[in-house]
Amino acid sequence: MAQKKDTLRHLFAGGCAGTVGAIVTCPLEVIKTRLQSSGIAIHSVYYPQVQLGTLSGGGVVRPSASVPPGVLQVLKSILEKEGPRSLFRGLGPNLVGVAPSRAVYFASYSKAKEKFNAIFVPNSNIVHMCSAGSAAFVTNSMMNPIWMVKTRMQLEMRVRGSKQTNALQCARNVYQTEGMRGFYRGLTASYAGISETIICFVVYEGLKKRLHEMDLSANSSGEKGSTNFLGLMLAAAFSKGCASCIAYPHEVIRTRLREEGTKYKTFCQTARLVAREEGYLAFYRGLLAQLFRQIPNTAIVLSTYELLIYVLNEKPN
């Protein structure tokens, strides 16, 4: 009974934390996804000349010149051409998926950590690595169809005032054109991205342990809780920043694999094509937007999770 209650606490805390983070950082995720795309983001909508197809058979424009835009250029273009609502494209499936995905992730991480602590030296780096990797594998396998729909919606560009495709229409289009396999496009890149999760949690757990040791050695006061919370946010932000910079190329490959009518078929083939046609710097397009989004998002998610576990009278493992 106690174990079941413990799992429910982690599910609830993880789900709430993921929802808060998704809402706050959604505009930056849309910008990042546009920048990662081959046809839409990189040849974007600044000076229209050429017609480009969309999900429902309509069209958007793309320029003849292909100068990669920056974060502010994409933001300005979306606001001018599509309106502020487009900054929240894909938020629906994100909210549908983020709570269960974070809940499953944190619950899986907690259970895996418990199991691996019995096999390896408790709370060692190998335990954190195996736990983070196992949780990411389970979550990616379960949630890929939702993230696939979210990415397609974020890549769709429409003129301000025109009707945009909703999540159900997008999902129906994927099924009709690509079948069930279409919902699992980019899954291999997500598995490659497990390395980012492992790096993030190893660094985060190390910093959290250090903060705990510092807290024990310091004289406790009324400020203890707020200091710990701020420290956890900074630790989460730093760990995610390091992990994102190291493992970012898999994000670009995953977005390319999820594009509609794409020439990209497999992980390795996509990597070769991008390197040959656009150069190695293309693997880091959108990194700035990713850091702006992921660092505060991870800080919000992990610190909210830790806070809720604390409020629910459950000391984090």
Side-chain angles (χ1 to χ4, degrees):
M1 187 67 183
Q3 267 194 333
K4 186 177 180 181
K5 207 171 180 181
D6 176 52
T7 301
L8 288 174
R9 283 196 186 101
H10 287 286
L11 282 166
F12 176 75
C16 290
T19 300
V20 172
I23 295 172
V24 172
T25 62
C26 184
L28 283 167
E29 184 174 13
V30 173
I31 293 171
K32 176 210 71 170
T33 304
R34 297 280 180 97
L35 284 166
Q36 290 173 341
S37 171
S38 62
I40 299 177
I42 303 307
H43 306 291
S44 235
V45 293
Y46 304 105
Y47 305 101
Q49 292 179 8
V50 183
Q51 195 76 8
L52 194 101
T54 59
L55 286 171
S56 60
V60 293
V61 288
R62 106 179 173 190
S64 55
S66 59
V67 179
V71 174
L72 292 179
Q73 286 176 298
V74 173
L75 174 61
K76 182 182 177 184
S77 176
I78 291 173
L79 290 174
E80 289 180 352
K81 307 292 183 181
E82 305 174 54
R85 288 183 61 186
S86 286
L87 288 173
F88 292 88
R89 293 288 293 154
L91 181 59
N94 211 1
L95 290 179
V96 168
V98 73
S101 73
R102 290 296 184 182
V104 169
Y105 183 88
F106 281 112
S108 299
Y109 181 78
S110 177
K111 294 298 290 183
K113 191 175 176 182
E114 182 183 312
K115 299 293 183 183
F116 286 118
N117 271 336
I119 300 172
F120 304 109
V121 177
N123 295 317
S124 60
N125 280 342
I126 188 66
V127 169
H128 298 148
M129 288 174 67
C130 292
S131 301
S134 300
F137 183 86
V138 171
T139 306
N140 288 336
S141 300
M142 290 179 62
M143 305 306 298
N144 198 79
I146 293 176
W147 303 148
M148 168 66 182
V149 171
K150 178 194 72 173
T151 301
R152 284 284 176 89
M153 290 181 69
Q154 290 174 340
L155 289 175
E156 184 187 28
M157 297 162 57
R158 293 295 182 89
V159 178
R160 183 195 290 263
S162 64
K163 190 175 181 181
Q164 295 180 323
T165 307
N166 61 39
L168 288 176
Q169 290 171 327
C170 182
R172 191 181 302 118
N173 181 75
V174 172
Y175 181 74
Q176 289 173 347
T177 57
E178 304 174 54
M180 284 301 298
R181 289 184 64 184
F183 290 105
Y184 290 90
R185 292 185 65 85
L187 183 57
T188 51
S190 291
Y191 286 154
I194 290 175
S195 60
E196 178 179 338
T197 305
I198 292 173
I199 294 167
C200 177
F201 265 83
V202 168
V203 175
Y204 174 70
E205 290 283 3
L207 291 173
K208 189 171 78 168
K209 184 178 179 181
R210 181 69 176 166
L211 284 171
H212 183 63
E213 290 171 353
M214 289 171 62
D215 185 57
L216 288 177
S217 63
N219 291 326
S220 299
S221 67
E223 300 177 1
K224 181 181 175 184
S226 60
T227 303
N228 281 348
F229 188 73
L230 178 61
L232 288 171
M233 287 191 73
L234 293 174
F238 179 78
S239 60
K240 189 60 180 183
C242 292
S244 292
C245 290
I246 293 170
Y248 185 75
H250 89 273
E251 292 244 7
V252 174
I253 294 173
R254 183 173 62 197
T255 296
R256 301 292 179 95
L257 286 168
R258 288 175 177 172
E259 290 176 356
E260 185 177 13
T262 182
K263 62 184 175 183
Y264 305 110
K265 304 302 179 185
T266 66
F267 182 89
C268 292
Q269 178 250 9
T270 302
R272 286 196 300 268
L273 274 178
V274 172
R276 185 170 68 242
E277 296 177 358
E278 303 171 51
Y280 291 104
L281 284 178
F283 288 112
Y284 290 91
R285 284 182 179 144
L287 177 59
L288 187 60
Q290 171 74 341
L291 292 177
F292 284 153
R293 183 189 80 86
Q294 277 285 42
I295 290 177
N297 182 61
T298 303
I300 291 167
V301 168
L302 289 177
S303 55
T304 302
Y305 168 74
E306 301 280 4
L307 179 64
L308 285 171
I309 290 295
Y310 176 78
V311 169
L312 292 169
N313 296 320
E314 171 66 22
K315 185 179 178 181
N317 292 327

PDB file of all heavy atoms in Angstrom, residues 7-39:
ATOM      1  N   THR A   7       4.242   5.736  -5.495  1.00  0.00           N
ATOM      2  CA  THR A   7       4.203   5.854  -6.959  1.00  0.00           C
ATOM      3  C   THR A   7       3.207   6.921  -7.391  1.00  0.00           C
ATOM      4  O   THR A   7       3.479   7.716  -8.303  1.00  0.00           O
ATOM      5  CB  THR A   7       3.823   4.500  -7.598  1.00  0.00           C
ATOM      6  OG1 THR A   7       4.784   3.518  -7.218  1.00  0.00           O
ATOM      7  CG2 THR A   7       3.797   4.612  -9.114  1.00  0.00           C
ATOM      8  N   LEU A   8       2.032   6.974  -6.723  1.00  0.00           N
ATOM      9  CA  LEU A   8       1.025   7.979  -7.065  1.00  0.00           C
ATOM     10  C   LEU A   8       1.526   9.391  -6.792  1.00  0.00           C
ATOM     11  O   LEU A   8       1.227  10.319  -7.552  1.00  0.00           O
ATOM     12  CB  LEU A   8      -0.264   7.720  -6.270  1.00  0.00           C
ATOM     13  CG  LEU A   8      -1.089   6.501  -6.714  1.00  0.00           C
ATOM     14  CD1 LEU A   8      -2.257   6.279  -5.768  1.00  0.00           C
ATOM     15  CD2 LEU A   8      -1.600   6.693  -8.148  1.00  0.00           C
ATOM     16  N   ARG A   9       2.290   9.562  -5.723  1.00  0.00           N
ATOM     17  CA  ARG A   9       2.864  10.872  -5.429  1.00  0.00           C
ATOM     18  C   ARG A   9       3.790  11.322  -6.557  1.00  0.00           C
ATOM     19  O   ARG A   9       3.744  12.464  -7.001  1.00  0.00           O
ATOM     20  CB  ARG A   9       3.653  10.834  -4.118  1.00  0.00           C
ATOM     21  CG  ARG A   9       2.801  10.848  -2.857  1.00  0.00           C
ATOM     22  CD  ARG A   9       3.650  11.189  -1.647  1.00  0.00           C
ATOM     23  NE  ARG A   9       2.890  11.066  -0.421  1.00  0.00           N
ATOM     24  CZ  ARG A   9       2.951  10.040   0.402  1.00  0.00           C
ATOM     25  NH1 ARG A   9       3.720   9.030   0.120  1.00  0.00           N
ATOM     26  NH2 ARG A   9       2.236  10.022   1.503  1.00  0.00           N
ATOM     27  N   HIS A  10       4.642  10.407  -7.011  1.00  0.00           N
ATOM     28  CA  HIS A  10       5.579  10.737  -8.091  1.00  0.00           C
ATOM     29  C   HIS A  10       4.834  11.003  -9.395  1.00  0.00           C
ATOM     30  O   HIS A  10       5.220  11.892 -10.172  1.00  0.00           O
ATOM     31  CB  HIS A  10       6.597   9.604  -8.269  1.00  0.00           C
ATOM     32  CG  HIS A  10       7.621   9.536  -7.174  1.00  0.00           C
ATOM     33  ND1 HIS A  10       8.655  10.442  -7.075  1.00  0.00           N
ATOM     34  CD2 HIS A  10       7.760   8.697  -6.114  1.00  0.00           C
ATOM     35  CE1 HIS A  10       9.395  10.145  -6.013  1.00  0.00           C
ATOM     36  NE2 HIS A  10       8.869   9.094  -5.416  1.00  0.00           N
ATOM     37  N   LEU A  11       3.782  10.239  -9.666  1.00  0.00           N
ATOM     38  CA  LEU A  11       2.974  10.465 -10.865  1.00  0.00           C
ATOM     39  C   LEU A  11       2.321  11.857 -10.826  1.00  0.00           C
ATOM     40  O   LEU A  11       2.369  12.604 -11.810  1.00  0.00           O
ATOM     41  CB  LEU A  11       1.884   9.387 -10.976  1.00  0.00           C
ATOM     42  CG  LEU A  11       2.314   8.018 -11.490  1.00  0.00           C
ATOM     43  CD1 LEU A  11       1.220   6.983 -11.219  1.00  0.00           C
ATOM     44  CD2 LEU A  11       2.624   8.064 -12.979  1.00  0.00           C
ATOM     45  N   PHE A  12       1.731  12.196  -9.702  1.00  0.00           N
ATOM     46  CA  PHE A  12       1.049  13.482  -9.570  1.00  0.00           C
ATOM     47  C   PHE A  12       2.032  14.638  -9.658  1.00  0.00           C
ATOM     48  O   PHE A  12       1.809  15.616 -10.392  1.00  0.00           O
ATOM     49  CB  PHE A  12       0.295  13.537  -8.231  1.00  0.00           C
ATOM     50  CG  PHE A  12      -0.362  14.855  -7.967  1.00  0.00           C
ATOM     51  CD1 PHE A  12      -1.527  15.216  -8.634  1.00  0.00           C
ATOM     52  CD2 PHE A  12       0.190  15.761  -7.060  1.00  0.00           C
ATOM     53  CE1 PHE A  12      -2.137  16.443  -8.395  1.00  0.00           C
ATOM     54  CE2 PHE A  12      -0.410  16.985  -6.829  1.00  0.00           C
ATOM     55  CZ  PHE A  12      -1.577  17.328  -7.491  1.00  0.00           C
ATOM     56  N   ALA A  13       3.135  14.544  -8.933  1.00  0.00           N
ATOM     57  CA  ALA A  13       4.130  15.616  -8.928  1.00  0.00           C
ATOM     58  C   ALA A  13       4.750  15.799 -10.308  1.00  0.00           C
ATOM     59  O   ALA A  13       4.918  16.926 -10.794  1.00  0.00           O
ATOM     60  CB  ALA A  13       5.217  15.321  -7.895  1.00  0.00           C
ATOM     61  N   GLY A  14       5.085  14.690 -10.962  1.00  0.00           N
ATOM     62  CA  GLY A  14       5.676  14.759 -12.297  1.00  0.00           C
ATOM     63  C   GLY A  14       4.721  15.344 -13.312  1.00  0.00           C
ATOM     64  O   GLY A  14       5.100  16.153 -14.159  1.00  0.00           O
ATOM     65  N   GLY A  15       3.443  14.944 -13.241  1.00  0.00           N
ATOM     66  CA  GLY A  15       2.442  15.451 -14.176  1.00  0.00           C
ATOM     67  C   GLY A  15       2.205  16.941 -14.021  1.00  0.00           C
ATOM     68  O   GLY A  15       2.167  17.684 -15.008  1.00  0.00           O
ATOM     69  N   CYS A  16       2.074  17.419 -12.793  1.00  0.00           N
ATOM     70  CA  CYS A  16       1.861  18.849 -12.543  1.00  0.00           C
ATOM     71  C   CYS A  16       3.067  19.671 -12.977  1.00  0.00           C
ATOM     72  O   CYS A  16       2.933  20.734 -13.594  1.00  0.00           O
ATOM     73  CB  CYS A  16       1.584  19.092 -11.055  1.00  0.00           C
ATOM     74  SG  CYS A  16      -0.011  18.467 -10.498  1.00  0.00           S
ATOM     75  N   ALA A  17       4.253  19.168 -12.663  1.00  0.00           N
ATOM     76  CA  ALA A  17       5.480  19.884 -13.019  1.00  0.00           C
ATOM     77  C   ALA A  17       5.619  20.017 -14.530  1.00  0.00           C
ATOM     78  O   ALA A  17       5.962  21.084 -15.048  1.00  0.00           O
ATOM     79  CB  ALA A  17       6.691  19.142 -12.442  1.00  0.00           C
ATOM     80  N   GLY A  18       5.342  18.939 -15.256  1.00  0.00           N
ATOM     81  CA  GLY A  18       5.454  18.970 -16.712  1.00  0.00           C
ATOM     82  C   GLY A  18       4.450  19.911 -17.350  1.00  0.00           C
ATOM     83  O   GLY A  18       4.773  20.601 -18.323  1.00  0.00           O
ATOM     84  N   THR A  19       3.240  19.976 -16.814  1.00  0.00           N
ATOM     85  CA  THR A  19       2.206  20.860 -17.356  1.00  0.00           C
ATOM     86  C   THR A  19       2.597  22.324 -17.201  1.00  0.00           C
ATOM     87  O   THR A  19       2.465  23.121 -18.146  1.00  0.00           O
ATOM     88  CB  THR A  19       0.863  20.606 -16.646  1.00  0.00           C
ATOM     89  OG1 THR A  19       0.486  19.237 -16.853  1.00  0.00           O
ATOM     90  CG2 THR A  19      -0.221  21.517 -17.193  1.00  0.00           C
ATOM     91  N   VAL A  20       3.089  22.699 -16.025  1.00  0.00           N
ATOM     92  CA  VAL A  20       3.518  24.079 -15.783  1.00  0.00           C
ATOM     93  C   VAL A  20       4.630  24.469 -16.755  1.00  0.00           C
ATOM     94  O   VAL A  20       4.594  25.520 -17.393  1.00  0.00           O
ATOM     95  CB  VAL A  20       4.000  24.258 -14.322  1.00  0.00           C
ATOM     96  CG1 VAL A  20       4.629  25.629 -14.132  1.00  0.00           C
ATOM     97  CG2 VAL A  20       2.837  24.076 -13.351  1.00  0.00           C
ATOM     98  N   GLY A  21       5.627  23.592 -16.894  1.00  0.00           N
ATOM     99  CA  GLY A  21       6.745  23.879 -17.782  1.00  0.00           C
ATOM    100  C   GLY A  21       6.330  24.009 -19.240  1.00  0.00           C
ATOM    101  O   GLY A  21       6.827  24.873 -19.967  1.00  0.00           O
ATOM    102  N   ALA A  22       5.408  23.164 -19.692  1.00  0.00           N
ATOM    103  CA  ALA A  22       4.969  23.169 -21.092  1.00  0.00           C
ATOM    104  C   ALA A  22       4.255  24.463 -21.462  1.00  0.00           C
ATOM    105  O   ALA A  22       4.481  25.027 -22.535  1.00  0.00           O
ATOM    106  CB  ALA A  22       4.059  21.976 -21.356  1.00  0.00           C
ATOM    107  N   ILE A  23       3.395  24.947 -20.600  1.00  0.00           N
ATOM    108  CA  ILE A  23       2.638  26.173 -20.880  1.00  0.00           C
ATOM    109  C   ILE A  23       3.571  27.383 -20.945  1.00  0.00           C
ATOM    110  O   ILE A  23       3.488  28.203 -21.868  1.00  0.00           O
ATOM    111  CB  ILE A  23       1.546  26.395 -19.811  1.00  0.00           C
ATOM    112  CG1 ILE A  23       0.498  25.285 -19.889  1.00  0.00           C
ATOM    113  CG2 ILE A  23       0.886  27.760 -19.982  1.00  0.00           C
ATOM    114  CD1 ILE A  23      -0.504  25.300 -18.752  1.00  0.00           C
ATOM    115  N   VAL A  24       4.467  27.482 -19.982  1.00  0.00           N
ATOM    116  CA  VAL A  24       5.345  28.654 -19.893  1.00  0.00           C
ATOM    117  C   VAL A  24       6.285  28.758 -21.086  1.00  0.00           C
ATOM    118  O   VAL A  24       6.564  29.846 -21.591  1.00  0.00           O
ATOM    119  CB  VAL A  24       6.150  28.613 -18.570  1.00  0.00           C
ATOM    120  CG1 VAL A  24       7.208  29.703 -18.550  1.00  0.00           C
ATOM    121  CG2 VAL A  24       5.213  28.769 -17.376  1.00  0.00           C
ATOM    122  N   THR A  25       6.778  27.622 -21.575  1.00  0.00           N
ATOM    123  CA  THR A  25       7.836  27.653 -22.597  1.00  0.00           C
ATOM    124  C   THR A  25       7.367  27.263 -23.997  1.00  0.00           C
ATOM    125  O   THR A  25       8.197  27.097 -24.894  1.00  0.00           O
ATOM    126  CB  THR A  25       8.985  26.716 -22.179  1.00  0.00           C
ATOM    127  OG1 THR A  25       8.494  25.364 -22.098  1.00  0.00           O
ATOM    128  CG2 THR A  25       9.572  27.118 -20.840  1.00  0.00           C
ATOM    129  N   CYS A  26       6.056  27.141 -24.224  1.00  0.00           N
ATOM    130  CA  CYS A  26       5.551  26.712 -25.529  1.00  0.00           C
ATOM    131  C   CYS A  26       6.005  27.590 -26.700  1.00  0.00           C
ATOM    132  O   CYS A  26       6.416  27.070 -27.741  1.00  0.00           O
ATOM    133  CB  CYS A  26       4.028  26.627 -25.500  1.00  0.00           C
ATOM    134  SG  CYS A  26       3.319  25.991 -27.034  1.00  0.00           S
ATOM    135  N   PRO A  27       5.951  28.939 -26.604  1.00  0.00           N
ATOM    136  CA  PRO A  27       6.381  29.759 -27.743  1.00  0.00           C
ATOM    137  C   PRO A  27       7.816  29.485 -28.188  1.00  0.00           C
ATOM    138  O   PRO A  27       8.107  29.450 -29.391  1.00  0.00           O
ATOM    139  CB  PRO A  27       6.226  31.192 -27.206  1.00  0.00           C
ATOM    140  CG  PRO A  27       5.144  31.091 -26.194  1.00  0.00           C
ATOM    141  CD  PRO A  27       5.368  29.768 -25.533  1.00  0.00           C
ATOM    142  N   LEU A  28       8.706  29.269 -27.237  1.00  0.00           N
ATOM    143  CA  LEU A  28      10.091  28.990 -27.585  1.00  0.00           C
ATOM    144  C   LEU A  28      10.235  27.630 -28.258  1.00  0.00           C
ATOM    145  O   LEU A  28      11.095  27.443 -29.128  1.00  0.00           O
ATOM    146  CB  LEU A  28      10.971  29.054 -26.331  1.00  0.00           C
ATOM    147  CG  LEU A  28      11.312  30.465 -25.855  1.00  0.00           C
ATOM    148  CD1 LEU A  28      11.913  30.434 -24.457  1.00  0.00           C
ATOM    149  CD2 LEU A  28      12.254  31.163 -26.817  1.00  0.00           C
ATOM    150  N   GLU A  29       9.385  26.678 -27.887  1.00  0.00           N
ATOM    151  CA  GLU A  29       9.445  25.371 -28.536  1.00  0.00           C
ATOM    152  C   GLU A  29       9.000  25.461 -29.993  1.00  0.00           C
ATOM    153  O   GLU A  29       9.566  24.811 -30.868  1.00  0.00           O
ATOM    154  CB  GLU A  29       8.589  24.346 -27.794  1.00  0.00           C
ATOM    155  CG  GLU A  29       8.727  22.959 -28.393  1.00  0.00           C
ATOM    156  CD  GLU A  29       8.015  21.884 -27.604  1.00  0.00           C
ATOM    157  OE1 GLU A  29       7.214  22.230 -26.721  1.00  0.00           O
ATOM    158  OE2 GLU A  29       8.254  20.706 -27.892  1.00  0.00           O
ATOM    159  N   VAL A  30       7.984  26.271 -30.266  1.00  0.00           N
ATOM    160  CA  VAL A  30       7.533  26.466 -31.648  1.00  0.00           C
ATOM    161  C   VAL A  30       8.659  27.076 -32.484  1.00  0.00           C
ATOM    162  O   VAL A  30       8.940  26.627 -33.601  1.00  0.00           O
ATOM    163  CB  VAL A  30       6.282  27.369 -31.691  1.00  0.00           C
ATOM    164  CG1 VAL A  30       5.917  27.724 -33.130  1.00  0.00           C
ATOM    165  CG2 VAL A  30       5.100  26.667 -31.025  1.00  0.00           C
ATOM    166  N   ILE A  31       9.311  28.106 -31.948  1.00  0.00           N
ATOM    167  CA  ILE A  31      10.416  28.753 -32.665  1.00  0.00           C
ATOM    168  C   ILE A  31      11.548  27.770 -32.902  1.00  0.00           C
ATOM    169  O   ILE A  31      12.105  27.695 -34.011  1.00  0.00           O
ATOM    170  CB  ILE A  31      10.915  29.971 -31.862  1.00  0.00           C
ATOM    171  CG1 ILE A  31       9.837  31.047 -31.822  1.00  0.00           C
ATOM    172  CG2 ILE A  31      12.202  30.533 -32.474  1.00  0.00           C
ATOM    173  CD1 ILE A  31      10.144  32.201 -30.888  1.00  0.00           C
ATOM    174  N   LYS A  32      11.888  26.999 -31.897  1.00  0.00           N
ATOM    175  CA  LYS A  32      12.971  26.018 -32.034  1.00  0.00           C
ATOM    176  C   LYS A  32      12.661  24.992 -33.112  1.00  0.00           C
ATOM    177  O   LYS A  32      13.508  24.673 -33.955  1.00  0.00           O
ATOM    178  CB  LYS A  32      13.174  25.301 -30.689  1.00  0.00           C
ATOM    179  CG  LYS A  32      14.220  24.197 -30.735  1.00  0.00           C
ATOM    180  CD  LYS A  32      13.916  23.088 -29.742  1.00  0.00           C
ATOM    181  CE  LYS A  32      12.725  22.276 -30.173  1.00  0.00           C
ATOM    182  NZ  LYS A  32      12.540  21.053 -29.369  1.00  0.00           N
ATOM    183  N   THR A  33      11.427  24.489 -33.134  1.00  0.00           N
ATOM    184  CA  THR A  33      11.048  23.481 -34.116  1.00  0.00           C
ATOM    185  C   THR A  33      11.096  24.047 -35.528  1.00  0.00           C
ATOM    186  O   THR A  33      11.540  23.374 -36.464  1.00  0.00           O
ATOM    187  CB  THR A  33       9.631  22.945 -33.813  1.00  0.00           C
ATOM    188  OG1 THR A  33       9.603  22.440 -32.471  1.00  0.00           O
ATOM    189  CG2 THR A  33       9.253  21.815 -34.760  1.00  0.00           C
ATOM    190  N   ARG A  34      10.650  25.293 -35.696  1.00  0.00           N
ATOM    191  CA  ARG A  34      10.721  25.925 -37.017  1.00  0.00           C
ATOM    192  C   ARG A  34      12.171  26.042 -37.488  1.00  0.00           C
ATOM    193  O   ARG A  34      12.482  25.837 -38.658  1.00  0.00           O
ATOM    194  CB  ARG A  34      10.085  27.322 -36.969  1.00  0.00           C
ATOM    195  CG  ARG A  34       8.588  27.331 -36.627  1.00  0.00           C
ATOM    196  CD  ARG A  34       7.729  27.007 -37.832  1.00  0.00           C
ATOM    197  NE  ARG A  34       6.305  27.027 -37.495  1.00  0.00           N
ATOM    198  CZ  ARG A  34       5.498  28.057 -37.692  1.00  0.00           C
ATOM    199  NH1 ARG A  34       5.962  29.186 -38.198  1.00  0.00           N
ATOM    200  NH2 ARG A  34       4.222  27.967 -37.379  1.00  0.00           N
ATOM    201  N   LEU A  35      13.054  26.414 -36.578  1.00  0.00           N
ATOM    202  CA  LEU A  35      14.463  26.577 -36.935  1.00  0.00           C
ATOM    203  C   LEU A  35      15.120  25.247 -37.306  1.00  0.00           C
ATOM    204  O   LEU A  35      16.030  25.202 -38.131  1.00  0.00           O
ATOM    205  CB  LEU A  35      15.235  27.223 -35.775  1.00  0.00           C
ATOM    206  CG  LEU A  35      15.015  28.726 -35.582  1.00  0.00           C
ATOM    207  CD1 LEU A  35      15.529  29.172 -34.231  1.00  0.00           C
ATOM    208  CD2 LEU A  35      15.704  29.502 -36.691  1.00  0.00           C
ATOM    209  N   GLN A  36      14.663  24.171 -36.692  1.00  0.00           N
ATOM    210  CA  GLN A  36      15.243  22.849 -36.969  1.00  0.00           C
ATOM    211  C   GLN A  36      14.795  22.278 -38.304  1.00  0.00           C
ATOM    212  O   GLN A  36      15.475  21.444 -38.885  1.00  0.00           O
ATOM    213  CB  GLN A  36      14.839  21.864 -35.858  1.00  0.00           C
ATOM    214  CG  GLN A  36      15.493  22.141 -34.523  1.00  0.00           C
ATOM    215  CD  GLN A  36      14.950  21.252 -33.425  1.00  0.00           C
ATOM    216  OE1 GLN A  36      13.872  20.679 -33.556  1.00  0.00           O
ATOM    217  NE2 GLN A  36      15.681  21.131 -32.345  1.00  0.00           N
ATOM    218  N   SER A  37      13.649  22.738 -38.803  1.00  0.00           N
ATOM    219  CA  SER A  37      13.078  22.173 -40.015  1.00  0.00           C
ATOM    220  C   SER A  37      13.905  22.514 -41.242  1.00  0.00           C
ATOM    221  O   SER A  37      14.531  23.563 -41.318  1.00  0.00           O
ATOM    222  CB  SER A  37      11.654  22.710 -40.184  1.00  0.00           C
ATOM    223  OG  SER A  37      11.140  22.368 -41.439  1.00  0.00           O
ATOM    224  N   SER A  38      13.884  21.624 -42.232  1.00  0.00           N
ATOM    225  CA  SER A  38      14.646  21.844 -43.457  1.00  0.00           C
ATOM    226  C   SER A  38      13.937  22.804 -44.402  1.00  0.00           C
ATOM    227  O   SER A  38      14.507  23.785 -44.862  1.00  0.00           O
ATOM    228  CB  SER A  38      14.879  20.520 -44.182  1.00  0.00           C
ATOM    229  OG  SER A  38      13.640  19.937 -44.557  1.00  0.00           O
ATOM    230  N   GLY A  39      12.663  22.573 -44.700  1.00  0.00           N
ATOM    231  CA  GLY A  39      11.968  23.357 -45.707  1.00  0.00           C
ATOM    232  C   GLY A  39      11.268  24.578 -45.178  1.00  0.00           C
ATOM    233  O   GLY A  39      11.288  25.633 -45.794  1.00  0.00           O
TER     234      GLY A  39
END
